Structure formats: C-alpha cells, structure tokens
Amino acid sequence: MLKKIVLNELLPGHVLGEDIFGKNGRVIIARGHVLSGKEIEFLKGHFLENHTIVIYEEGNKNFPNESHEISPFKKEAITVETDSQYNSKTLTIQQIQNIIKDGFASREDYQTTKKAIEIIKRDVSEAFDFLTINNEINDKKFQETANKIIRSFQKNQEEINFEYLYLIELENWHPDTFNHSIDVAFFTLYIASQMTTDLTELESLFIGGLLHDIGKYLRYKEGENRFYEIITKTGPLSDEEFRILKEHVSVERFFKDKFMFFNQKERDNIAFAAMDHHEKIDGSGYLHQKRGMQISFAGRIVAVADIYDALIRKREYKSMVKPDIAMRHIIELAELGKLDKRFTGIFKNLLGLYPTGTVITTNKGMAIVIGQSSEASCPKVMLLEHHELGEINLCEHNEIEIYEEIE
Ligand SMILES: [Fe+2]
Ligand SMILES: [Fe+2]
C-alpha cells in the first residue's frame, strides 16, 4: 500500500512509491528505491518542506521490511563491534566507511586500482555521452568500449584489484559465459542510463552486469566440478542439475568484502545484480522467490538484459533466437508479470524489435535497419535494392512488410 507523507517525515529506509523527476524530465530516483539519508537531504534541497512524497507503507505484503535488510553489508556494518578504537559500540555506516577508507586509501594497490577504475569510468562515461547525444545505441561504439575495458583489465593484471581477475578467469573457463556477461553489462547500462544519470551508479550497474553469473565459475572453482558439465549440457537439466545451477546466485559471501572503493549503494547494485537476477516479479523465480519491489533495482534490470541475451546467443545446447522474437518474448514475460514492465519497455524502445545494424527481408527485398522509430515494430531502414530512396521510416510505409530477420 502506498501512502503520502510530507518531506520532513521521510526517514532513511523508506521506499519510494513514485518516481522523482529532475528538471530535464528524467527520472532521478526511481520508484522502489530505498532512500538513504543523503538522498533525503538531496530531496529536501529540491522541494519545499511541505512537499509530499509517496512511499510504500511498512508491513505491506508486497513489500516486506525484510527486503531492505538483506544487504549483507549493511547488516554487518551496523552490528560490528570494535575493541579498542571505538569502545565496543555500534558504529554508523559512515564510521565504518571511514575506517575502510583510512585503511585502504593509503595503500599502493588501492591507488593503482583507483586509476584503473577512473579509466573504466571515463570509457563508460564516453559511451554514455554518445548514447545521450545521439539518442541511440551505436553497437560499434559500445563494443569498442567493452574491448577497451577488457584490455585494461588484462594489461594491468598484476596491479588491478583482484575482483576483476575473476573476469579473466571466467573468460578462460567458459568464453561463452564471459561474452554473455559483457553483453548483459551493456544492455544493463542501456536500460539504467534511462533511469539515472549518476555515473558512479551506472558504473556499478555495468560491473554488476559483468559479474552477474560469476557464481557459476566460483562454484566450479570451489570444487563443484559438475558446474561445467551443467552449463555446457545439450539436453534438458535433471532436477538435481537444476538445483545445482540455481546455486550460482548464492554469492553473498563473495561480494561481501569486494568493491570497497564504492559506496554502499553501488556495492549493493553489484552484489544484487548477481544475487537477484533470476528472481521474477510474481515470485516464481529463484533463489528466494522475492516478489515485486523486493527484488533490487539492479536485479530487475539485469533480469531483462539476461533473458534477452540468453535468447539471442547461440549456445552449445540451443540455436539462436532472432532478436525480434527474443524482444517479443521478454515483452510477453513482462505482460505475464515475470519481468519489470518499466525496464522491459525502456529496453524495447532503445533496441526496437529489429536492432540497428540488423539485416531484414521485406516484400521489397533486403533492407538494413539504420535506426529506431517511435514504434518498435517499424524501424528506419535502407532498402538495399532501392538505396536511392534513402532512409525510410517503416511506420510511414504500410506497403512495406517485414518478412524476417537475417542473422
Ligand atoms: Fe544467471
Ligand atoms: Fe546470465
């Protein structure tokens, strides 16, 4: 249930029941977001005191408190007890962060990692600028950025924070899972870029996408040899195999002490991208059968990106589904209450049914998709046999029918 309260009554932990828009009409804090003290201060600076904000009422069945307490980091941070320095008392998250920062900031490896992160940040930011300025996705540009990021991991292998080394190990272990992770990271970035303009948050969501399936490799590395067989199996999985596969989202422990150079919110994004990406809005997912807004922001975005990429990707055990079919499928999943409707809608608008750069056949011959229009089903195309006609918006040409998409 939603309720309205005045701005002054807002407390950290309250969950937004409405989107908050910035001056440019973009969502700056999304519905379902758990507010932090800093964000409440920000809101107070933006609105008058008596401004009302819609929040989710506590105790609501679809939104139990539990969902805001499950952060493995927050729990630990609040109950930690120190011996000498703080006289065995409960610390605030800020104090904990300061301790981490003081311990880390002076270390050399922290500094080199920070530099590497700055480079990644710049690359992501460039790609993001491109998306904003041109208002469309340029696959080549994003691909270049991905390659650059990966190269930067490898070049600095010894210097860089070891969290990223898992990615390189993942590439050696199972290149297909690695490539899938890169795609999911970029799709996640596309969707998230329409929800927030905070570059640090976008970066964390990108990393969340990169590491969302890292649990598959971690389980294998821990000695669960069957994991490799399971992910490369051509036939259907047995109940036992599916039970094992599900364990790849149990990565709470792995993420607990990682990415300390990020704030809590960003670290949560990274961890929950991996922990929540198989949960479904209607509670039919795994591992914890979370429902609706119990599923983290990162988890709901990555779920859309993950299913789409899993469908279009050719795997050992299945052939590729064409992008329009894949997009129709995830829209259907959103309609059925499985995927977040908002994020699916954003994704469909960005990518269209026929992503830019794909070749399609029409009743007028082959055509290449050169951009998206307001309708996902009728992109802008160039007819290969009539290229003198230039760019054609298929929404304005009912006489041209799309037959199918060519790989
Ligand atoms: Fe997964
Ligand atoms: Fe995945």
Side-chain angles (χ1 to χ4, degrees):
M1 284 274 274
L2 297 168
K3 72 169 179 184
K4 267 189 181 175
I5 60 169
V6 288
L7 194 54
N8 268 346
E9 291 172 353
L10 265 189
L11 293 172
H14 272 153
V15 183
L16 264 189
E18 62 177 359
D19 290 328
I20 306 276
F21 292 91
K23 286 196 186 85
N24 57 4
R26 274 190 167 203
V27 174
I28 42 175
I29 310 183
R31 175 173 172 250
H33 184 75
V34 186
L35 288 167
S36 67
K38 228 170 110 187
E39 286 156 345
I40 292 172
E41 284 316 310
F42 167 81
L43 289 175
K44 285 182 179 166
H46 263 247
F47 298 107
L48 296 171
E49 285 189 347
N50 57 355
H51 185 86
T52 54
I53 300 273
V54 177
I55 59 162
Y56 282 93
E57 217 166 58
E58 280 180 347
N60 169 25
K61 203 163 120 279
N62 293 324
F63 215 139
N65 294 334
E66 175 206 26
S67 64
H68 319 307
E69 290 169 5
I70 48 175
S71 163
F73 319 112
K74 280 177 191 152
K75 253 193 226 164
E76 182 105 342
I78 291 163
T79 55
V80 92
E81 301 214 323
T82 60
D83 37 18
S84 53
Q85 207 184 353
Y86 284 90
N87 260 339
S88 182
K89 62 177 182 182
T90 306
L91 298 178
T92 63
I93 292 178
Q94 190 56 51
Q95 284 170 314
I96 299 282
Q97 277 175 353
N98 286 344
I99 296 171
I100 293 163
K101 229 169 86 194
D102 293 345
F104 259 75
S106 51
R107 282 170 48 179
E108 212 178 300
D109 60 349
Y110 174 81
Q111 290 302 337
T112 36
T113 303
K114 226 172 111 185
K115 239 182 273 166
I117 297 294
E118 286 306 319
I119 296 170
I120 294 167
K121 212 184 246 179
R122 198 196 58 213
D123 290 341
V124 173
S125 148
E126 272 176 22
F128 177 63
D129 282 349
F130 187 90
L131 177 72
T132 321
I133 294 162
N134 296 288
N135 202 18
E136 72 172 62
I137 291 157
N138 179 320
D139 268 350
K140 209 164 146 254
K141 179 80 188 163
F142 273 92
Q143 204 52 54
E144 269 171 26
T145 313
N147 289 338
K148 255 201 268 172
I149 291 170
I150 304 313
R151 272 204 306 276
S152 82
F153 291 152
Q154 288 177 327
K155 200 164 55 195
N156 302 316
Q157 211 175 115
E158 269 101 283
E159 301 165 5
I160 198 163
N161 200 310
F162 73 96
E163 276 93 328
Y164 294 118
L165 295 185
Y166 285 97
L167 262 184
I168 297 161
E169 289 181 30
L170 177 69
E171 184 179 17
N172 293 333
W173 180 63
H174 193 236
D176 200 45
T177 304
F178 173 80
N179 291 328
H180 160 70
S181 303
I182 303 288
D183 284 359
V184 168
F186 276 95
F187 290 146
T188 301
L189 184 62
Y190 296 168
I191 299 170
S193 67
Q194 305 298 300
M195 298 296 292
T196 171
T197 50
D198 177 345
L199 277 181
T200 316
E201 171 142 49
L202 286 171
E203 187 196 348
S204 68
L205 290 161
F206 183 82
I207 294 171
L210 283 177
L211 295 174
H212 79 282
D213 270 339
I214 197 72
K216 292 180 179 173
Y217 173 63
L218 295 175
R219 286 279 170 273
Y220 173 80
K221 214 177 158 188
E222 281 165 11
E224 180 49 273
N225 296 329
R226 283 174 294 178
F227 238 99
Y228 190 81
E229 285 162 36
I230 291 172
I231 65 165
T232 52
K233 189 173 173 183
T234 46
L237 296 184
S238 68
D239 288 351
E240 172 64 359
E241 286 166 334
F242 190 51
R243 188 192 62 74
I244 295 169
L245 178 70
K246 283 179 181 173
E247 284 172 12
H248 81 276
V249 296
S250 291
V251 281
E252 208 167 326
R253 248 184 324 126
F254 171 74
F255 283 103
K256 208 179 101 184
D257 54 354
K258 306 280 192 298
F259 297 103
M260 290 307 203
F261 42 84
F262 277 120
N263 284 331
Q264 190 65 61
K265 184 176 159 194
E266 284 90 35
R267 289 171 57 214
D268 276 356
N269 278 339
I270 298 172
F272 282 117
M275 284 150 56
D276 277 358
H277 72 274
H278 287 289
E279 300 288 359
K280 298 278 186 296
I281 304 293
D282 63 2
S284 64
Y286 64 84
L287 199 57
H288 299 292
Q289 288 79 45
K290 292 185 188 177
R291 304 175 78 95
M293 291 293 172
Q294 284 180 301
I295 309 167
S296 60
F297 177 71
R300 280 177 288 134
I301 296 181
V302 173
V304 174
D306 185 43
I307 296 182
Y308 179 78
D309 191 67
L311 286 169
I312 62 168
R313 182 165 291 279
K314 199 169 175 345
R315 291 255 171 95
E316 283 90 343
Y317 54 88
K318 67 167 189 63
S319 57
M320 189 184 78
V321 171
K322 293 194 170 135
D324 59 320
I325 312 258
M327 189 60 84
R328 284 182 215 279
H329 184 67
I330 63 162
I331 294 166
E332 205 181 299
L333 288 177
E335 294 298 326
L336 289 170
K338 304 273 180 200
L339 289 175
D340 187 292
K341 276 191 186 163
R342 170 192 285 271
F343 299 148
T344 310
I346 289 174
F347 195 46
K348 182 193 77 178
N349 291 341
L350 281 173
L351 235 60
L353 286 177
Y354 305 94
T356 306
T358 43
V359 177
I360 52 176
T361 53
T362 72
N363 54 344
K364 305 269 183 219
M366 279 193 349
I368 181 155
V369 177
I370 54 169
Q372 300 302 318
S373 70
S374 53
E375 261 300 306
S377 57
C378 48
K380 294 172 185 162
V381 304
M382 183 91 90
L383 287 169
L384 296 184
E385 285 155 44
H386 305 278
H387 61 267
E388 70 284 356
L389 295 175
E391 178 182 312
I392 293 173
N393 184 342
L394 288 187
C395 291
E396 295 158 10
H397 291 267
N398 294 339
E399 77 282 7
I400 305 179
E401 264 177 68
I402 297 176
Y403 288 156
E404 67 165 345
E405 190 157 351
I406 298 168
E407 272 175 44

